[in-house]
Amino acid sequence: MMNKYKLLAALVLGAGTSLAGAADNAKAEAAYKATCMSCHGAGVLGAPKVGDKAAWKPRLAKGKATVYTNAINGFKMMPPRGGNPALKDDEVKAVVDFMVAKSS
């Protein structure tokens, strides 16, 4: 009987974290689709495509902080914040994390 209660408690206590993480991921995915997918989905102007591990590898080798900085400030042909000035730094970072998770 005690194991059932521990399992239930773990599910209930852990649900908040999982739901929050899922909500954050959904927001990042929505921002990706609205702002970033037009280039990173098709590889426009050399943008690394989401899911292309080989294209992301050298970028990630420079460190995630560099990738964040490039996404926030713009890099080569990519405009700052992917062209969406309404995105906050944390939102840009979340989108980067979303794309990297799909690409590494």
Side-chain angles (χ1 to χ4, degrees), residues 9-32:
L11 289 172
V12 169
L13 294 175
T17 303
S18 297
L19 291 176
D24 290 342
N25 194 49
K27 288 180 185 178
E29 183 175 9
Y32 163 76

Side-chain angles (χ1 to χ4, degrees), residues 31-81:
Y32 163 76
K33 287 179 177 178
T35 302
C36 310
M37 188 168 79
S38 58
C39 293
H40 287 280
V44 173
L45 298 173
K49 289 197 264 184
V50 171
D52 184 346
K53 293 179 184 184
W56 282 93
K57 188 175 182 177
R59 290 160 172 89
L60 294 172
K62 295 177 183 176
K64 200 177 266 190
T66 299
V67 178
Y68 289 151
T69 298
N70 290 342
I72 291 167
N73 298 322
F75 186 75
K76 295 185 181 182
M77 298 301 293
M78 186 183 84
R81 301 171 194 287

Side-chain angles (χ1 to χ4, degrees), residues 75-92:
F75 186 75
K76 295 185 181 182
M77 298 301 293
M78 186 183 84
R81 301 171 194 287
N84 184 349
L87 289 176
K88 298 175 183 158
D89 288 0
D90 287 345
E91 292 169 323
V92 173

